[in-house]
């Protein structure tokens, strides 16, 4: 099971946080601080895995943005790396050539996409098409609030 | 793909201008959020940012509370508030509005509302209760998107107590026509299962339905639940193995829709989930494993594409192959796979390769040998994470031959490590290895010194405690003990003469204790010299007050010479007015003892005699006092773990920091008590308390494996032999120069063949030969050795005579001696029994010596009856004895009234409870296989009577077996009442209080009270488990207690004799006796097991009891102690 996912910039600025288990504010702050210092201190050409307390930390950098995922100890590291990658692909598909700014200015969208992809710390939907369809279906509401046709789109 | 993304993201700086770039159409640069974000990026200092955000927050606050704000505006405000919180500024005023937005907004606004709620609040926030109704409403909405949102938020945060309110609706969604809803519902139920497992118990069959769902997505989701369930209890789901295998076959065969592909690999997440489930199901189960061999082979074969995701699948396959019942050709393939990983130039794969090696090395040490050169290269790897993994691997392959090299490597790593968690973990491992395999005293002390100084004060307290215990208890030979202690003293004196201010506090405390206890061993050392060194510690600013207490206690032990006394008195003078109460106390002690030499020699006899202090840990001498206090209304005593549990439940302050603070003054007693049986010490982590263990949660999985192996499964290991031979075929390694590739054995035969290699390689080869020494000769034999729970606490112990006898001999012994004991019993007693017809039940006892002996109080029923026999029948009867004989006759006649169904079981002595001229009450208890029956005999010596009886107990449940409590008793007859007893809460002795009211036709109603006592042992039954089951049960139980007991003095097999005595008296089951350790199991009636781990140590029997039932270990321990005392 996944425990949390953090997105932060090279300067250590938090861009997105998702906690899959209950955590107090204090713990969250401590973890964010630990993660940014740990991950940002890593040299290039080292492996993408870290051990932190009893959790495995899997991180990957995409341009200026670090994706940092914590999983329980028995989880598969490589698979977790692909979870991150799939999330980036989803963002890319939605925003079209995603960049850090997309995520900064539309962070709520990034959350919605994540919620369609992961749920309760487990993978929910791995298909790019499906995730996008759900997100776009909800987005349609922005323009038009009549609720008949988008359901066809989403669940058809 | 990732390249594209990375390229785009690198182009970011040019995007910062936010002009009409193609991607920026979606950037809401003109929105208020956009302004805020841009504003922040323009700032230069943290202070300015703070000001800006505070300003922003106050403007948001103003707007949200204004009644004119529309929901649309509210949505925008919430996004901004979330942003501010993400930056670390609190916006708690907006929480309630987020909930309102989720309640009242349209779908879009609701979505933001829910998001804000899930980001703002945590599961215990009180405002969350306000959300329950909204969620409830949305779950029932006809709009599918609203239902989806509600399920998502339920999964993210939902108050645990409110789950019952929405559970039925979520359950209903399992039948929803849309698969997306079903899938989300399954995931929500998974979440519920994790946080409140018993609330979802009833819908297990619905999970099965989800597993068979026609939509693969729903099925995949249900696997999360199954993984969890199978982790908890694999046995219950063995029937699903074939289904899982079929699913995996279809997935691997590409039968799923394309949608599920990831980089053209079919459903990798699903595959990996299935592999994990299969490995849990096939573990230690040959039949189940056989079902999955084919599909595993297929998976290994198919996953050939060169992509991370296929490696992920391969890695999981390898783990599965090594977890389930072994099959040689699969193991071979898996080994090749691991080899490819280890040799891969990709660092991530190398890391996983090392991990896999660590995982399998205990089963397959040859594999590590094959890759020794790679492993050694990784030792110098620039990535500390890789190095860390190598340490783990080395730890697993350590043996007596390579321990010095490996420990040196680990210490080197520790010196550079900056991560606290790693330091603590590794320090523990080094200490464990040092204790297990130390080649000599000098090395041991120096290694422990390094551990103490590197591990610092974060170190697990078990390490210094264990070390002191080791020193104080000693080993087989006095002389060796003396040398070790003397060496420690010498080493510490020189450390103190150096610069002690750099040493961690824990280490200083160890030093103090050792010097206080053993510095007398050094002949030329004046105690005053030691005292002066210790005084320096007191003067050091960095010393904590704990350490100072230890110093003072050490001084107290040392002030037996003239010069020392004067130094000590000075110190005592200074500290007797300290503000610290503990320090003051210690200083006072020092002062008094140093003044009064007579008192001193009584309290601390010269020569530091090591007579273990006899402690009556059951404190039986206080029984009277306790019962008095209890009857006066005092609260009953709760054992430590129970109190701690209650404390942690009520979230009170943790009492932990106080745990170690009191230094040990007169004896090593409290240190020795904290002993941990060795069986946990082979695990990868530190052997900790059970509470500790459960807290660490997920990290226990690997340990479990380690522990499992200790309990040895010979058949399993023996079957490995041919496999290993196959695995010996080497993979040609490009990293190894030719000429070294020859026979793996040549590399570690300690005399590497000289080759024309460059120097560097030569060094590595030398290192290899020392690191991997002893591995090849071991092969499967080494596994046997390793798996023996008889861990050598110290290298020298192997030389002791105890280990010389083969395990087989020892194992056969208990049965031999137990049968002989039975024989004796029969021989002694049979000739004496009179062929009296009434005596049927007594005879039963003799004819079935294996049947449960009924204990009365703490004595044996058999003993009682045979005593009676001897007294009553075979000798001329004296007048006093005649009375007794009469009584026993009466008892015997009552025996005939025992209900027929109970006559097959032995019963306790029949005890008269009450009598008057008309009525007499007697009772006994009968132990059947799964219950204890209290039988009350009512002898009516006058006319017919009506009577009513009630039996009550605080700790026992007593239910009347046959008739109603009211009934008529005919005149001049005996009536019998039976009560079946079950335990509510274990105590040492159960007391039943009964009330009997009766009315004779002539007279009025009369009532009387009686009480009946029976010991816990009447409820104890042997629990027949295998060693393996024992091992896994052991880890699962949380309540434990430890104690040292006296061994029965017998020359040859004191352990076997002691355990047999316990077995007879308490009807325990001896699972296995291995060397100096014994495993014993019993259960309280049918279903409340208690395990006992015994180890002979320093002439005592160290027992550790564990059970899922609170108090049971403590109570049972009391009886063990009693049983041995009486022996």
């Amino acid at each position: 099971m996944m425990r949390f996912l953090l997105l932060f910039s090279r300067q250590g600025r938090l861009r997105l946080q998702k906690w899959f288990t209950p955590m107090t504010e204090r713990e969250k702050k401590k973890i964010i601080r630990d993660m940014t210092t740990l991950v940002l201190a890593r040299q290039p050409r080292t492996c993408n895995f870290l051990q932190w307390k009893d959790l495995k930390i899997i991180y990957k950098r995409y341009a200026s943005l670090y994706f940092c995922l914590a999983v329980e100890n028995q989880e598969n590291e490589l698979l977790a790396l692909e979870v991150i990658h799939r999330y980036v692909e989803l963002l890319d598909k939605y925003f079209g050539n995603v960049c850090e700014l997309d995520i900064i200015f539309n962070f709520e969208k990034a959350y919605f996409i994540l919620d369609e992809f992961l749920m309760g710390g487990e993978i929910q939907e791995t298909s790019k098409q499906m995730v996008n369809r759900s997100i776009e279906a909800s987005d349609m509401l922005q323009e038009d609030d009549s609720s008949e046709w988008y359901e066809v789109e989403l669940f058809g | 793909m990732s390249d594209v993304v990375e390229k785009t993201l690198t182009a970011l700086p040019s995007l910062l201008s936010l002009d009409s770039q193609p991607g920026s159409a979606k950037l809401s640069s003109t929105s208020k959020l956009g302004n805020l974000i841009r504003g922040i990026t323009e700032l230069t200092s943290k202070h300015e940012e703070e000001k800006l955000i505070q300003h922003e927050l106050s403007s948001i606050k103003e707007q949200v509370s204004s009644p004119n704000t529309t929901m649309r505006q509210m949505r925008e405000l919430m996004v901004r508030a979330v942003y501010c919180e993400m930056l670390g500024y609190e916006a708690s005023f907006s929480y309630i509005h987020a909930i309102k937005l989720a309640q009242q907004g349209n779908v879009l606004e609701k979505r933001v509302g829910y998001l804000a709620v899930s980001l703002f609040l945590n599961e215990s926030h009180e405002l969350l209760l306000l959300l329950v109704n909204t969620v409830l409403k949305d779950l029932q909405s006809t709009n599918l998107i609203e239902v989806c949102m509600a399920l998502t938020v339920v999964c993210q945060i939902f108050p645990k107590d409110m789950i019952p309110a929405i559970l039925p609706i979520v359950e209903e969604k399992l039948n929803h026509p849309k698969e997306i809803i079903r899938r989300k519902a399954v995931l929500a139920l998974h979440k519920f299962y994790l946080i409140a497992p018993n609330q979802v118990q009833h819908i297990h069959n619905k999970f099965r339905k989800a597993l068979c769902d026609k939509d693969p997505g729903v099925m995949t989701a249900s696997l999360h639940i199954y993984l969890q369930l199978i982790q908890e209890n694999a046995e219950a789901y063995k029937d699903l193995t074939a289904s899982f295998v079929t699913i995996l076959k279809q997935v691997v065969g590409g039968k799923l829709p394309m949608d599920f592909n990831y980089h053209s690999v079919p459903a990798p997440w699903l595959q990996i989930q299935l592999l994990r489930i299969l490995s849990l199901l096939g573990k230690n189960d040959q039949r189940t494993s056989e079902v999955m061999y084919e599909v595993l082979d297929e998976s290994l074969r198919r996953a050939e594409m060169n992509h991370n995701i296929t490696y992920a699948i391969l890695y999981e396959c390898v783990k599965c192959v090594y977890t389930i019942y072994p099959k040689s050709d699969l193991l071979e393939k898996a080994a090749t796979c691991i080899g490819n990983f280890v040799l891969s130039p990709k660092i991530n794969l190398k890391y996983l390769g090392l991990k896999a090696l660590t995982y399998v090395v205990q089963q397959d040490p040859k594999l590590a040998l094959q890759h020794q050169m790679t492993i050694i290269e990784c030792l110098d790897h620039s990535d500390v994470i890789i190095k860390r993994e190598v340490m783990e691997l080395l730890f697993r392959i350590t043996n007596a031959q390579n321990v010095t090299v490996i420990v040196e490597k680990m210490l080197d790593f520790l010196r550079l490590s900056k991560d606290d968690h790693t330091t603590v973990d590794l320090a523990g491992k080094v200490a464990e290895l040092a204790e297990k395999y130390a080649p000599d005293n000098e090395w041991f002390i120096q290694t422990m010194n390094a551990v103490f100084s590197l591990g610092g004060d974060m170190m697990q307290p078990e390490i210094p405690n264990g070390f002191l215990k080791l020193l104080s208890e000693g080993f087989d030979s006095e002389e060796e003990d003396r040398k070790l202690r003397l060496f420690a003293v010498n080493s510490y004196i020189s450390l103190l003469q150096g610069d002690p201010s750099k040493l961690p506090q824990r280490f200083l405390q160890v030093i103090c204790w050792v010097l206080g206890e053993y510095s007398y061993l050094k002949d030329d050392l004046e105690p005053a010299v030691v005292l002066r060194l210790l005084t320096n510690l007191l003067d050091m600013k960095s010393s904590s007050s704990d350490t100072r207490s230890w110093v003072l206690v050490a001084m107290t032990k040392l002030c037996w010479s003239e010069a020392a006394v004067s130094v000590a008195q000075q110190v005592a003078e200074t500290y007797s007015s300290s503000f610290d109460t503990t320090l003051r106390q210690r200083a006072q002690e020092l002062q008094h003892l140093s003044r009064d030499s007579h008192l001193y020699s009584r309290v601390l006899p010269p020569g530091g005699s090591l007579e273990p202090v006899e402690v009556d840990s059951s404190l039986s001498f206080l029984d009277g006092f306790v019962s008095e206090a209890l009857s006066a209304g005092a609260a009953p005593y709760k054992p430590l773990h129970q109190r701690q549990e209650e404390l942690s439940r009520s979230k009170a302050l943790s009492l932990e920091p106080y745990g170690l603070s009191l230094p040990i003054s007169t004896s090593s007693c409290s240190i020795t008590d904290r002993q941990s049986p060795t069986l946990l010490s082979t695990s990868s982590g530190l052997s900790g308390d059970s509470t500790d263990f459960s807290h660490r949660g997920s990290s226990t999985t690997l340990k479990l494996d380690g522990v499992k192996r200790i309990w040895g499964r010979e058949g399993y290991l023996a079957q490995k032999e041919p496999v290993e031979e196959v695995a010996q075929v080497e993979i040609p390694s490009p990293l190894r120069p030719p000429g070294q590739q020859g026979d793996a054995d040549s590399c570690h035969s300690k005399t590497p063949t000289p080759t024309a290699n460059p120097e560097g390689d030569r060094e590595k080869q030398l290192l290899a030969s020392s690191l991997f020494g002893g591995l090849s000769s071991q092969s499967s034999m080494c596994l046997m050795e390793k798996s023996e729970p008889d861990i050598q606490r110290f290298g020298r112990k192997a030389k002791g005579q105890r280990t010389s006898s083969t395990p087989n001999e020892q194992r056969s012994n208990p049965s031999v001696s137990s049968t002989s004991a039975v024989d004796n019993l029969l021989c002694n007693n049979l000739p004496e029994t009179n062929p009296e017809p009434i005596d049927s039940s007594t005879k039963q006892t003799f004819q079935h010596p294996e049947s449960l002996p009924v204990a009365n109080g703490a004595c044996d029923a058999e003993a009682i009856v045979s005593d009676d026999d001897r007294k009553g029948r075979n000798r001329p009867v004296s007048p006093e004895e005649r009375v007794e004989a009469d009584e026993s006759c009466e008892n015997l006649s009552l025996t005939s009234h025992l209900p027929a169904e109970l006559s097959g079981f032995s019963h306790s002595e029949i005890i008269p409870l009450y009598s008057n001229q008309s009525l007499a009450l007697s009772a006994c208890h009968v132990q059947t296989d799964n219950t204890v029956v209290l039988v009350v005999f009512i002898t009516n010596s006058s006319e017919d009577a009506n009577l009513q009886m009630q039996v009550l107990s605080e700790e026992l449940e007593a239910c009347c077996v046959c008739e109603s409590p009211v009934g008529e008793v005919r005149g001049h007859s005996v009536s019998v009442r039976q009560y079946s007893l079950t335990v509510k809460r274990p105590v040492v002795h159960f007391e039943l209080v009964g009330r009997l009211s009766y009315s004779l036709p002539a007279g009025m109603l009369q009532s009387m009270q009686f009480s009946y006592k029976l010991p816990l042992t009447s409820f104890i039954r042997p629990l027949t488990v295998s060693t393996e089951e024992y091992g896994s049960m052991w880890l699962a139980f949380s309540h434990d207690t430890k104690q040292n007991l006296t061994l029965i003095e017998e020359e040859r097999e004191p352990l076997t004799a002691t355990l047999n005595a316990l077995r007879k008296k308490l009807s325990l089951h001896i699972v296995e006796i291995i060397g100096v350790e014994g495993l014993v199991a019993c259960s309280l009636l049918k279903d409340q097991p208690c395990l006992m781990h015994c180890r002979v140590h320093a002439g005592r029997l160290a027992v550790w009891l564990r059970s899922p039932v609170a108090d049971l270990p403590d109570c049972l321990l009391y009886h063990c102690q009693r049983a041995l005392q009486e022996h």
Side-chain angles (χ1 to χ4, degrees), chain B residues 993-1022:
Chain B
V993 179
R995 177 188 292 276
L996 177 74
S997 39
Y998 65 97
S999 57
L1000 298 167
M1004 48 193 197
L1005 190 75
Q1006 294 189 39
S1007 75
M1008 59 182 181
Q1009 266 195 359
F1010 60 90
S1011 77
Y1012 187 82
K1013 259 190 162 184
L1014 68 169
L1016 177 77
T1017 44
S1018 326
F1019 293 86
I1020 298 295
R1021 303 285 179 269

Side-chain angles (χ1 to χ4, degrees), chain B residues 590-611:
Chain B
L590 177 58
Q591 203 161 30
H592 285 292
L593 287 172
S594 62
R595 270 191 205 137
D596 186 344
S597 63
H598 177 65
L599 178 66
Y600 183 86
S601 60
R602 270 182 59 206
V603 176
L604 295 163
S609 94
L610 279 169
E611 282 304 303

Side-chain angles (χ1 to χ4, degrees), chain B residues 42-100:
Chain B
E42 279 158 14
L43 297 175
T44 48
S45 75
K46 186 82 190 161
H47 178 68
E48 280 176 18
E49 180 190 295
E50 215 164 283
K51 247 172 52 187
L52 182 76
I53 302 278
Q54 290 308 343
H55 178 75
E56 184 77 20
L57 281 176
S58 56
S59 107
I60 295 175
K61 190 173 186 175
E62 197 177 303
Q63 287 181 63
V64 288
S65 41
S66 142
N68 299 327
T69 313
T70 64
M71 280 295 148
R72 204 188 174 89
Q73 286 166 321
M74 195 66 104
R75 188 179 93 201
E76 197 272 335
L77 287 167
M78 277 307 129
V79 171
R80 268 194 282 158
V82 168
Y83 192 81
C84 292
E85 282 239 328
M86 186 157 68
L87 292 178
Y89 299 89
E90 201 196 294
S92 52
F93 62 86
S94 55
Y95 297 173
I96 186 74
H97 297 283
I99 291 178
K100 247 166 56 191

Side-chain angles (χ1 to χ4, degrees), chain B residues 929-942:
Chain B
D929 288 337
N930 43 22
T931 179
V932 173
V933 181
L934 174 73
V935 185
V936 184
F937 304 91
I938 306 156
T939 318
N940 188 357
S941 45
S942 68

Side-chain angles (χ1 to χ4, degrees), chain B residues 169 419 863 869 930 1119:
Chain B
I169 306 173
D419 173 38
D869 284 346
N930 43 22
H1119 284 289

Side-chain angles (χ1 to χ4, degrees), chain B residues 358 361-362 388-399 402 406-407 410 425-434 436-437 680-686 771 786:
Chain B
T358 314
V361 76
Q362 273 171 344
R388 174 80 182 80
E389 218 36 60
V390 178
M391 294 299 141
E392 202 67 45
L393 178 58
L394 291 181
F395 171 72
R396 298 281 180 114
I397 61 167
T398 311
N399 56 38
N402 57 17
I406 287 184
V407 164
M410 289 171 91
D425 185 49
L426 222 53
K429 283 178 176 157
V430 175
E432 191 184 320
L433 292 179
K436 252 198 256 177
Y437 300 116
L680 278 180
S681 49
T682 37
S683 61
S684 63
L686 272 172
L771 273 178
K786 269 203 159 177

Side-chain angles (χ1 to χ4, degrees), chain A residues 1 3 13-25 28-29 42 45-54 56 60-65 72-79 81-83 85-86 88-89 92 94-102 104-109 111-112 115-117 119-120 122-130 133-135 137-139 141-142 145 147 150-151 154-155, chain B residues 1-2 4-6 8-10 12 15-16 18 23 26-28 33-34 37-38 40 49 72 75 79 82-83 86-88 106-108 111-112 115 118-120 122-123 142-145 148 151-152 155-156 178 180 183-184 187-188 190-191 194 224 231 259-263 268-269 272-273 276 307-309 311-313 315-316 319 347-349 351-352 355 383-386 419 421 696 698-699 701:
Chain A
M1 194 184 146
R3 293 293 193 83
R13 246 180 208 287
L14 189 65
R15 295 301 181 206
L16 186 139
Q17 52 177 335
K18 187 79 184 174
W19 308 92
F20 296 109
T21 48
M23 207 93 71
T24 64
E25 283 308 311
K28 286 182 188 173
K29 286 224 165 94
R42 295 283 288 164
R45 254 169 292 141
T46 49
C47 65
N48 294 65
F49 317 124
L50 286 172
Q51 184 79 29
W52 182 80
K53 302 214 168 142
D54 59 340
K56 278 178 187 161
K60 183 149 190 193
R61 181 179 152 185
Y62 288 89
S64 57
L65 204 56
E72 280 165 10
N73 229 328
Q74 71 274 16
E75 296 284 328
N76 188 320
E77 288 93 338
L78 284 178
L79 194 67
L81 210 51
E82 296 311 298
V83 169
H85 190 70
R86 173 52 36 125
V88 175
E89 286 180 352
D92 192 58
Y94 179 79
F95 288 108
N97 284 342
V98 68
C99 67
E100 189 184 346
L101 284 182
D102 289 319
I104 299 173
F105 283 102
N106 299 291
F107 67 90
E108 81 275 20
K109 299 273 165 45
Y111 276 115
F112 296 145
D115 279 341
E116 286 304 314
F117 175 47
M119 196 164 156
E122 300 286 358
I123 291 282
Q124 184 200 170
E125 173 64 76
T126 54
S127 155
K128 261 196 275 191
Q129 285 78 15
M130 287 304 286
R133 255 201 262 168
S134 341
I135 296 295
S138 315
D139 278 357
L141 300 169
Q142 210 140 19
D145 207 6
S147 55
Y150 68 82
E151 279 185 12
L154 169 54
F155 304 103
Chain B
M1 167 64 232
S2 68
V4 180
V5 180
E6 267 171 63
T8 344
L9 287 177
T10 356
L12 214 155
L15 280 172
L16 267 169
L18 296 173
K26 286 198 196 100
L27 303 184
S28 39
L33 176 70
I37 293 168
R38 223 132 4 95
I40 292 169
E49 180 190 295
R72 204 188 174 89
R75 188 179 93 201
V79 171
V82 168
Y83 192 81
M86 186 157 68
L87 292 178
N106 66 20
V107 180
L108 258 190
R111 187 163 68 156
V112 173
L115 176 68
S118 66
L119 288 170
F120 285 152
N122 63 28
E123 255 154 77
T142 50
N143 185 335
L144 296 184
I145 289 192
C148 282
L151 285 171
T152 306
C155 230
Q156 175 69 32
K178 295 290 177 208
I180 189 171
R183 198 176 54 208
K184 281 182 198 265
L187 284 169
H190 171 237
K191 178 83 180 179
L194 289 179
H224 298 312
Q231 251 165 11
D259 254 1
F260 288 89
N261 282 10
Y262 176 82
H263 294 257
W269 277 277
I272 283 174
Q273 198 76 346
R276 288 173 67 185
H307 188 278
N308 258 346
I309 197 74
Y311 294 133
I313 296 173
Y315 179 63
E316 211 60 50
K319 264 169 80 176
I347 192 160
N348 284 347
L349 294 188
Y351 171 86
L352 281 191
K355 264 214 128 87
D383 188 351
V384 70
I385 300 291
I386 300 277
D419 173 38
H421 198 257
R696 269 189 254 154
S698 57
S699 70
T701 43

